[in-house]
Amino acid sequence: MRLRQQLALLALAGLLTPGLTLYSLRIFNEQAKASHLNQLTGIAQAVAARLGNDIELLTRSALADSPQRPAGKTLYSHTDNSNHSSTTTPSTPSPITVDGSAADWHQLAIPPLPLPSETALTAQYRSLTSGERTYLLIEVDDKQRHFHNAEAPHHDKQPLYRTDNQALASGDHLLLYAGAQDQHLHILRAEVPGQMTALYRNALGKVVTQEAIQGLWRETNTGYQVELSLPTNMTQTAMALAAVDQSPTNPQRSAGTLPPYALSAAGPDPGVLPPAVGQMIRPAQSLNSALEVFTRPNTRLSLIDKHHWQRGQAGELADTHASPSITQRLLGSIMKMPRRPTFETASGHWNHPDISYPNREPRAFWARDQDALIATVAVPLISSHLPALESRHLGSVIIEQRVQPWQLLDQDSIKRLLASSLLGGGLLLLLLLGYASFLSARIAKLSRAANQAKGQNLPESLSHWPQFTIQDEIAELSQHYYEVLTQLQDHNHYLRTLTGKLSHELRTPLAVVTGSLDNLQQSEGEDVHKYTHRAQAGSERLSFIISAMTEASRVEASIASAELVTVNLQQLISDISQAYSSAYPAQRFMVDIQPASTGTYEVKVAPELLVQMLDKLVDNAVGFARDNTPVTLGLNYQSTEQDGVILALSVCNQGPHLPNNMQGRLFQSLTSHRPRSGGDTPHLGLGLYIVELITRFHGGTATATDLPDGVKVCVTIPALYPELNAQRRTTSVDNTC
């Protein structure tokens, strides 16, 4: 196993402990959340059972009789929970001051609700019921305001009852359908910003001023706002509201819950109009008090009727906990938070799919409010004491609780989980220390062996060289060191025997020269020429030995100054084979070029170096070739995924195979295994080393392999021309000679 794989397994083991801890925490969290929802479901069912059995409470709050109300015809009013009495007293001040300002409404956190509109007029309202008074704040977006014309003939401010048939409002105004016993369509108008007047026509068509309705008009940056106060009993039976934009030039626009025909009430007497359909829904104080008994910290109880209108509420979802600690924040960050956001119920209408009517089974889910969790449970409110079966389902009881993620986790469970995590981390640390010690011991063993190799002879060091059973990078490094030391041992052996070889090679020509010179001194006539020729042959042999020893240095110098030119290798191989036939008349040469294509083999090389490399290869092949066998010069091009298209020059001979101890060492300096051939030409093992130098200069590689009946030396050179690269996908590799 490779070191990378070993380290990957250890890293995986290192990630296993925190991963399992995180997974366990989330499992505990899911179980804790499910248990918490079950607990809240039990509380909500107990509240629903308590309220469903209180017939008097259901009747007093009118929850048992909750008719279907048309969409867009219902207004909602919040209640003042601070005032638990049914009537206001001088000692209980109203939370709203009718001054046309929205400051009181902002302090009470009552959000605005839109008024339905089929025109371009935009308006919204807020409503609050406090004891015997109901307050309204209507905000209208209207850049062009038009007030009632105070100079109109019908506005004489004389008697209470007026019989004129002129318009009651010539400018922007409000329409309010309300009444204690008899409902009337009231027109609220203003001549200037400030106090507003409420008027209506009675059954006789008389114009009556409604003193019980008080209103104040105030200008805003985007339009105007009107704050109203009227008796609560006027809103019990029926209630509808509309804002009307009326100008002398533009068409009339409106927004509200009144039907279109009611808008004509502000003009001349339209006669008897049908009664408007509308209702104001408000929470019942009796239901609020009944829910208050079951409230808990950070918990809100709500009761909605079967039309989803909120009829009672108690408790708050305010987060009263202190700032969380770092551990609590960390636990909260790793807990899986729900994506569902909390839903706003300030409008009084719970339009939510999980608590929609008819919902006869409990529904429980989690929502998210910033960094906190909101547990929500809705159970049906059913009263078995009602006679009609279809009317027994009165609505739903909803319980919401705000909790922090870390509050759901059991402290004992967390302690056990942390203990198991620490144990797993300790075991993992021991595993890492053991692996590091094991790895260090193997490296130290290899280091000691390399250090001993410096002070001992190589055969003894190689005999005790460490062997590793695990095949990884350390084992490869040990094997590479072993191979390097083996080659160094062979090279040292060659160097030690080189003196004997040179002594043997130099002694013969020196003896020839010395003897020839001695005989020359004592000879006359024809013997002089014979001895002179023998002395010349000896000196030439000495010169050859010296040249062979310095040839590698000259080749390196030639490589440094060589220039690349374009050469047709096919033509070069054909021409040079004829030259070799002349140089080696006793040897037969063959040329094998596959495929033969003019122009295909044109590349940039150094011709002198390339010919010198071929000379060495051919000389080597001729020296080992058996009698009456050819030496084959081959040329082909091959396609590889790594190097692209390469040209392959090969020299093959039929003769003995390569010795096993020379595999991978033939192209090293001073390496030779050629026997002496007649004793005329010495071989110092530099020929194939020169081949290696020239091949590396051209960016290629040199290899020697055994053939079934001989040896093949192959030199590859990268192709430089695009026409070869275009054929790399279609040409097969030809490795035959």
Side-chain angles (χ1 to χ4, degrees):
M1 183 180 295
R2 313 291 289 182
L3 281 178
R4 182 179 300 176
Q5 296 172 340
Q6 297 176 30
L7 294 175
L9 285 178
L10 286 176
L12 182 61
L15 293 176
L16 190 61
T17 299
L20 289 178
T21 303
L22 178 61
Y23 178 74
S24 301
L25 280 176
R26 291 194 171 179
I27 292 296
F28 288 162
N29 182 57
E30 293 300 324
Q31 293 177 351
K33 289 198 295 185
S35 176
H36 194 77
L37 288 180
N38 291 335
Q39 181 182 3
L40 291 182
T41 302
I43 297 175
Q45 289 174 337
V47 175
R50 163 67 179 81
L51 299 180
N53 292 328
D54 195 340
I55 298 299
E56 181 182 355
L57 175 65
L58 298 178
T59 304
R60 187 168 65 253
S61 62
L63 191 63
D65 183 17
S66 181
Q68 177 68 39
R69 299 170 180 85
K73 302 298 181 182
T74 303
L75 301 175
Y76 186 78
S77 177
H78 295 266
T79 57
D80 182 14
N81 294 329
S82 63
N83 184 10
H84 296 286
S85 61
S86 59
T87 60
T88 58
T89 63
S91 62
T92 308
S94 171
I96 297 294
T97 301
V98 182
D99 55 2
S101 173
D104 297 338
W105 302 88
H106 293 318
Q107 292 179 0
L108 295 173
I110 298 178
L113 304 174
L115 284 171
S117 175
E118 296 182 357
T119 63
L121 186 65
T122 302
Q124 56 187 14
Y125 77 98
R126 312 179 203 213
S127 179
L128 176 69
T129 298
S130 179
E132 293 183 349
R133 302 295 293 182
T134 296
Y135 301 90
L136 288 165
L137 180 67
I138 301 98
E139 300 170 283
V140 182
D141 292 340
D142 187 5
K143 292 292 185 180
Q144 298 180 353
R145 276 87 67 187
H146 301 86
F147 295 96
H148 178 66
N149 187 2
E151 303 300 328
H154 66 279
H155 196 280
D156 51 13
K157 300 182 182 179
Q158 292 300 322
L160 179 64
Y161 295 97
R162 309 169 186 213
T163 57
D164 55 77
N165 194 28
Q166 296 190 18
L168 298 184
S170 59
D172 299 340
H173 58 278
L174 299 179
L175 295 177
L176 184 64
Y177 182 77
Q181 287 86 20
D182 298 327
Q183 285 73 41
H184 300 286
L185 196 57
H186 300 83
I187 294 90
L188 286 83
R189 69 188 187 190
E191 300 175 3
V192 292
Q195 294 293 330
M196 300 188 69
T197 304
L199 306 171
Y200 71 91
R201 284 190 172 94
N202 62 10
L204 301 177
K206 303 293 184 178
V207 178
V208 181
T209 301
Q210 180 58 270
E211 302 291 346
I213 301 178
Q214 303 173 6
L216 192 140
W217 174 305
R218 173 176 287 195
E219 298 283 309
T220 62
N221 295 331
T222 59
Y224 65 92
Q225 61 188 25
V226 175
E227 195 167 23
L228 299 178
S229 173
L230 68 157
T232 300
N233 60 357
M234 292 184 64
T235 65
Q236 298 286 359
T237 306
M239 179 71 176
L241 176 68
V244 181
D245 176 26
Q246 183 169 288
S247 67
T249 57
N250 297 327
Q252 189 182 68
R253 300 183 302 167
S254 65
T257 60
L258 281 169
Y261 63 80
L263 303 181
S264 61
D269 188 2
V272 179
L273 294 175
V277 178
Q279 182 72 32
M280 174 170 278
I281 301 296
R282 60 175 57 85
Q285 188 61 50
S286 57
L287 294 176
N288 292 345
S289 301
L291 293 175
E292 188 74 29
V293 179
F294 300 95
T295 56
R296 303 167 61 184
N298 297 327
T299 304
R300 183 171 63 188
L301 278 167
S302 304
L303 192 151
I304 61 174
D305 60 19
K306 56 187 177 183
H307 305 301
H308 308 158
W309 290 104
Q310 180 177 305
R311 304 300 300 277
Q313 192 174 79
E316 295 292 337
L317 290 179
D319 188 5
T320 59
H321 292 84
S323 299
S325 62
I326 297 178
T327 304
Q328 291 173 340
R329 289 183 181 274
L330 180 61
L331 287 175
S333 63
I334 63 178
M335 293 297 101
K336 185 178 181 181
M337 300 289 285
R339 295 184 178 180
R340 181 201 305 265
T342 57
F343 47 91
E344 182 58 48
T345 60
S347 63
H349 193 261
W350 292 63
N351 187 16
H352 196 275
D354 288 324
I355 54 176
S356 59
Y357 177 81
N359 182 15
R360 302 187 181 277
E361 297 294 333
R363 299 288 180 88
F365 55 90
W366 287 91
R368 180 176 182 174
D369 182 16
Q370 296 180 352
D371 295 333
L373 296 173
I374 304 297
T376 305
V377 175
V379 299
L381 175 61
I382 300 175
S383 177
S384 59
H385 299 283
L386 296 178
L389 182 62
E390 62 276 3
S391 64
R392 292 180 179 178
H393 190 180
L394 305 179
S396 298
V397 173
I398 303 171
I399 182 171
E400 303 167 273
Q401 188 174 50
R402 180 189 180 96
V403 295
Q404 296 295 338
W406 61 83
Q407 295 174 332
L408 298 173
L409 297 175
D410 180 50
Q411 299 299 323
D412 294 336
S413 300
I414 293 297
K415 291 179 181 178
R416 290 194 299 268
L417 180 60
L418 291 178
S420 61
S421 300
L422 290 176
L423 179 60
L427 294 177
L428 177 61
L429 180 60
L430 292 177
L431 177 63
L432 291 175
L433 291 176
Y435 175 75
S437 301
F438 170 71
L439 196 61
S440 177
R442 298 174 66 205
I443 297 176
K445 184 178 180 181
L446 180 59
S447 177
R448 286 193 301 269
N451 189 43
Q452 291 173 359
K454 296 188 300 181
Q456 299 177 357
N457 55 44
L458 286 179
E460 183 179 355
S461 299
L462 292 176
S463 63
H464 296 88
W465 194 257
Q467 300 294 328
F468 299 104
T469 56
I470 300 178
Q471 297 301 316
D472 54 10
E473 286 81 356
I474 297 179
E476 289 183 355
L477 182 61
S478 175
Q479 182 64 28
H480 292 163
Y481 274 147
Y482 181 81
E483 293 174 356
V484 169
L485 292 177
T486 302
Q487 294 176 7
L488 182 59
Q489 178 185 2
D490 295 342
H491 188 66
N492 288 340
H493 175 73
Y494 177 77
L495 291 178
R496 285 194 299 268
T497 60
L498 181 61
T499 304
K501 294 180 180 178
L502 292 177
S503 175
H504 177 75
E505 295 293 341
L506 293 175
R507 185 180 294 111
T508 301
L510 283 175
V512 171
V513 172
T514 302
S516 297
L517 292 177
D518 291 341
N519 293 330
L520 185 61
Q521 292 177 354
Q522 302 174 5
S523 301
E524 295 178 358
E526 294 181 359
D527 291 337
V528 173
H529 177 72
K530 180 179 65 172
Y531 294 130
T532 303
H533 178 73
R534 291 175 60 186
Q536 183 179 4
S539 63
E540 289 178 354
R541 188 170 181 180
L542 286 173
S543 176
F544 177 83
I545 294 174
I546 296 173
S547 298
M549 295 178 64
T550 59
E551 188 174 6
S553 299
R554 292 200 305 271
V555 169
E556 292 178 352
S558 300
I559 288 176
S561 60
E563 294 183 0
L564 299 178
V565 297
T566 302
V567 174
N568 190 319
L569 293 185
Q570 180 179 358
Q571 185 65 39
L572 176 64
I573 294 299
S574 300
D575 295 342
I576 204 170
S577 63
Q578 299 176 6
Y580 290 145
S581 298
S582 301
Y584 301 95
Q587 184 67 48
R588 183 162 52 96
F589 289 90
M590 296 178 60
V591 176
D592 183 14
I593 301 177
Q594 296 292 336
S597 176
T598 303
T600 303
Y601 298 101
E602 289 187 352
V603 293
K604 286 189 175 181
V605 294
E608 297 82 1
L609 294 177
L610 191 63
V611 171
Q612 187 176 2
M613 178 189 71
L614 289 174
D615 290 344
K616 298 298 181 184
L617 292 177
V618 169
D619 179 70
N620 190 72
V622 171
F624 285 96
R626 290 194 295 265
D627 296 337
N628 301 322
T629 59
V631 172
T632 303
L633 302 180
L635 176 63
N636 57 40
Y637 59 85
Q638 307 170 0
S639 176
T640 63
E641 292 293 335
Q642 244 182 353
D643 304 324
V645 177
I646 58 175
L647 299 180
L649 286 168
S650 60
V651 178
C652 303
N653 71 307
Q654 298 179 17
H657 288 168
L658 298 173
N660 293 331
N661 61 345
M662 300 299 294
Q663 294 290 342
R665 299 169 48 206
L666 285 176
F667 298 94
Q668 298 177 2
S669 176
L670 298 176
T671 301
S672 175
H673 71 285
R674 179 185 299 191
R676 291 178 59 93
S677 56
D680 294 332
T681 304
H683 297 281
L684 302 179
L686 295 172
L688 293 182
Y689 175 66
I690 294 174
V691 171
E692 173 71 14
L693 291 177
I694 297 174
T695 303
R696 284 206 308 264
F697 168 71
H698 288 93
T701 58
T703 57
T705 56
D706 287 332
L707 296 177
D709 56 351
V711 175
K712 169 185 174 182
V713 179
C714 183
V715 175
T716 61
I717 301 176
L720 303 178
Y721 279 78
E723 49 266 27
L724 286 179
N725 292 308
Q727 303 176 30
R728 61 176 299 188
R729 298 298 181 188
T730 58
T731 306
S732 60
V733 178
D734 185 5
N735 288 325
T736 61
C737 291

